[in-house]
């Protein structure tokens, strides 16, 4: 191997000398940084206690963790100044000393104030810490480090937010699925409370088809609509269905209209109002049965109430709808007297003709008219309306079947 020439050897010696001079200068500054790191951390903590009211109000445990973060930040700067070109995980070096719960104890704004205070203390001590002639180098290094620590702070809080968001989404999906499957219990109520559900008095479930695309965007659209309508919601996309448990309004149709925007084309069904989350299963089952039977009513409005689909649900085999029709229509008419049941039956059989019903009953048409008004008062359904007449007819059929079945 050829030996270097005299000129090359002289150049190498010059490079080594310059490298040695720079290393010696930085070594002095590094030595001073290492010696003063403890006092700088103490000054930063004292400055925080003096200027940051939220820091003074924190419990001792959290303040001690913040002190450790400040010390780790100064130590990480010393190491970074020692090897500025070496790849380093500043977020791990600085924030790795504190527990994950600290990101919940202090906000991002408070963390920025903490970092700013620490950097200001270090900047004010540059003239004392830096070796003669190294003040500019140390100040420039501190500026670059401040930028890096700012990015690291944002990264820590972004990762914490993503983790919380993913966990909250899974938790919310569990609650929604429990309500829809009829398995809601006190555990589901506790999980909902952890998500911010404040147990509103009026709760209903709205079901429809979920749109194609990112389900997270759909959920966020539901949340925006809920905030605008001043509703509390728990929502999720389960298979092809978009499920919303809404609270804070005693009008289910108004709730469905306020939230209908993110749903895909097709029927949207609102279940009845129930008192709380535990009872929301009843609303969810009614909405699911209504969504299944909605195709039988071609002119159904959008959105539609599950109770407006009672006849279709009953014909589709929904036992709750059958029971509701019997208990809310047939039984009250039966208790009001046989005249109302007989008049309603004859009126419907006579194609809703007052005169025809009067002839069959041997009464005046005004008597039929009066009895039909009584039917409306008792049931809430008007025999003169085509849709209501259909519901009343199904209720009469189911009531007669129930009376004729000894097991009913």
């Amino acid at each position: 191997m050829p030996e270097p020439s005299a000129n090359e050897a002289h150049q190498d010696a010059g490079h080594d000398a310059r490298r040695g001079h720079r290393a010696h200068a930085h070594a002095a500054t590094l030595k001073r940084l290492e010696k003063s790191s403890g006092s700088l951390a103490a000054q930063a903590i004292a400055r925080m206690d003096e200027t940051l009211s939220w820091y003074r109000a924190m419990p001792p445990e959290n303040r001690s963790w913040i002190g450790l973060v400040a010390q780790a930040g100064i130590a990480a700067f010393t190491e970074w100044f020692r090897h500025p070109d070496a790849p380093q995980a500043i977020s791990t070096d600085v924030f790795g000393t504190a527990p994950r719960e600290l990101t919940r104890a202090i906000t991002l704004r408070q963390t920025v104030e903490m970092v700013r205070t620490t950097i200001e203390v270090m900047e004010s001590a540059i003239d004392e810490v830096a070796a003669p002639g190294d003040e500019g180098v140390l100040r420039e290094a501190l500026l670059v480090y401040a930028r890096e620590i700012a990015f690291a702070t944002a990264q820590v809080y972004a990762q914490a937010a993503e983790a919380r968001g993913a966990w909250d989404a899974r938790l919310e999906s569990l609650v929604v699925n429990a309500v829809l499957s009829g398995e809601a219990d006190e555990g589901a109520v506790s999980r909902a409370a952890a998500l911010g559900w404040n147990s509103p008095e009026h709760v209903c479930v709205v079901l429809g088809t979920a749109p194609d695309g990112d389900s997270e965007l759909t959920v966020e659209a539901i949340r925006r609509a809920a905030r605008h309508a001043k509703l509390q919601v728990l929502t999720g996309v389960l298979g092809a269905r978009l499920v919303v448990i809404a609270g804070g309004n005693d009008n289910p149709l108004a709730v469905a209209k306020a939230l209908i925007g993110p749903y895909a084309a097709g029927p949207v069904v609102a279940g009845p109002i129930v008192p709380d989350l535990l009872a929301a299963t009843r609303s969810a089952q009614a909405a699911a049965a209504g969504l299944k039977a909605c195709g039988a009513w071609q002119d159904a409005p959008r959105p539609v109430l599950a109770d407006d689909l009672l006849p279709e649900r009953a014909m589709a085999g929904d036992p709750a709808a059958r029971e509701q029709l019997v208990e809310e229509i047939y039984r009250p008419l039966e208790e009001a007297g046989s005249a109302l049941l007989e008049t309603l039956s004859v009126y419907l059989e006579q194609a809703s003709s007052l005169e025809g019903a009067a002839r069959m009953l041997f009464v005046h048409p005004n008597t039929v008219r009066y009895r039909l008004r009584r039917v409306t008062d008792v049931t809430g359904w008007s025999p003169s309306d085509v849709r209501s007449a259909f519901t009343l007819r199904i209720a009469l059929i189911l009531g007669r079947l129930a009376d004729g079945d000894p097991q009913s």
Side-chain angles (χ1 to χ4, degrees), residues 269 287-297 309-316 318:
V269 182
L291 191 64
K292 177 182 177 182
C294 200
W297 185 9
L309 289 160
L310 284 174
E312 286 81 9
R313 289 167 51 194
M315 296 178 71
D318 180 11

Side-chain angles (χ1 to χ4, degrees), residues 22 60 66 94 102 104 145 239 254 302 321 340 347 360:
R22 286 197 299 269
I66 290 176
V94 177
L102 190 64
R104 298 192 180 198
Y145 180 76
R302 186 179 187 268
L340 292 188
Y347 175 76
M360 293 294 296

Side-chain angles (χ1 to χ4, degrees), residues 42-334:
Q43 293 175 36
I45 293 171
R47 180 78 64 85
M48 281 187 269
D49 188 65
E50 178 184 349
T51 60
L52 303 179
S53 58
W54 58 264
Y55 175 79
R56 293 193 299 271
M58 295 188 79
E61 181 182 4
N62 287 341
R63 278 186 305 194
S64 67
W65 282 119
I66 290 176
L68 287 178
V69 170
Q71 292 177 14
I74 296 172
F77 171 67
T78 303
E79 187 63 26
W80 182 84
F81 186 71
R82 188 194 311 273
H83 304 292
D85 297 328
Q88 299 176 38
I90 292 179
S91 61
T92 303
D93 294 339
V94 177
F95 297 102
T97 59
R100 184 175 301 176
E101 290 77 8
L102 190 64
T103 58
R104 298 192 180 198
I106 62 174
T107 65
L108 176 59
R109 178 185 61 81
Q110 291 170 340
T111 304
V112 170
E113 291 178 351
M114 176 190 71
V115 171
R116 181 188 290 122
T117 301
T118 305
I119 294 296
E120 287 175 353
V121 168
M122 294 177 66
E123 190 174 17
S124 64
I126 283 179
D127 293 336
E128 299 177 5
V129 174
D134 256 1
E135 293 86 356
V137 174
L138 188 59
R139 183 171 286 105
E140 182 179 353
L142 184 60
L143 290 175
V144 176
Y145 180 76
R147 182 194 66 187
E148 295 297 324
I149 202 70
F151 286 134
T153 303
Q155 180 184 11
V156 167
Y157 275 83
Q159 289 174 344
E162 287 179 0
R164 283 198 298 271
W167 172 253
D168 288 351
R170 289 193 293 270
L171 204 61
E172 189 169 13
S173 179
L174 286 174
V175 175
V176 172
N177 186 64
V179 169
L180 202 62
S181 62
E183 299 173 355
D185 53 15
E186 291 297 335
V189 174
S190 299
R191 287 189 285 270
L195 293 168
W197 181 263
N198 294 327
S199 300
E201 294 182 358
H202 308 291
V203 179
C204 72
V205 177
V206 183
L207 282 180
T209 304
D212 296 332
D214 192 346
S215 60
E216 292 183 5
L217 297 178
T218 301
V219 168
E220 184 56 35
I222 288 288
R223 297 195 190 286
R224 286 196 301 270
R227 286 194 294 268
H228 186 266
K230 295 180 172 56
L231 296 169
Q232 293 187 51
V233 294
L234 297 167
T235 183
V237 176
L238 302 182
R241 291 185 295 185
L242 174 56
V243 186
V244 180
I245 305 168
N249 192 319
D250 60 356
N251 186 338
L253 193 60
V255 170
K257 287 180 179 179
L259 303 177
I260 198 171
Y263 284 89
V268 175
V269 182
I273 292 292
V274 292
D276 51 40
L277 189 63
L278 285 177
T281 291
R282 188 165 72 250
S283 182
Q285 290 174 345
L291 191 64
K292 177 182 177 182
C294 200
W297 185 9
Q298 293 294 319
D299 297 325
R302 186 179 187 268
V304 62
L305 295 175
D307 284 354
D308 289 342
L309 289 160
L310 284 174
E312 286 81 9
R313 289 167 51 194
M315 296 178 71
D318 180 11
R322 294 183 174 188
E323 181 180 357
Q324 189 172 346
L325 285 170
V326 172
E327 296 301 324
E328 294 184 2
I329 295 179
Y330 185 80
R331 297 304 177 201
L333 289 175
E334 189 178 44

Side-chain angles (χ1 to χ4, degrees), residues 324-356:
Q324 189 172 346
L325 285 170
V326 172
E327 296 301 324
E328 294 184 2
I329 295 179
Y330 185 80
R331 297 304 177 201
L333 289 175
E334 189 178 44
E335 293 171 2
S338 60
L340 292 188
L341 270 177
E342 183 184 17
T343 301
L344 176 62
S345 179
V346 172
Y347 175 76
L348 295 175
E349 292 296 335
Q350 294 299 314
S352 301
S353 169
L354 284 172
E355 291 76 10

Side-chain angles (χ1 to χ4, degrees), residues 32-43:
R32 292 188 178 197
L33 270 175
E34 292 169 352
K35 284 185 177 181
S36 59
S37 59
S39 63
L40 288 175
Q43 293 175 36

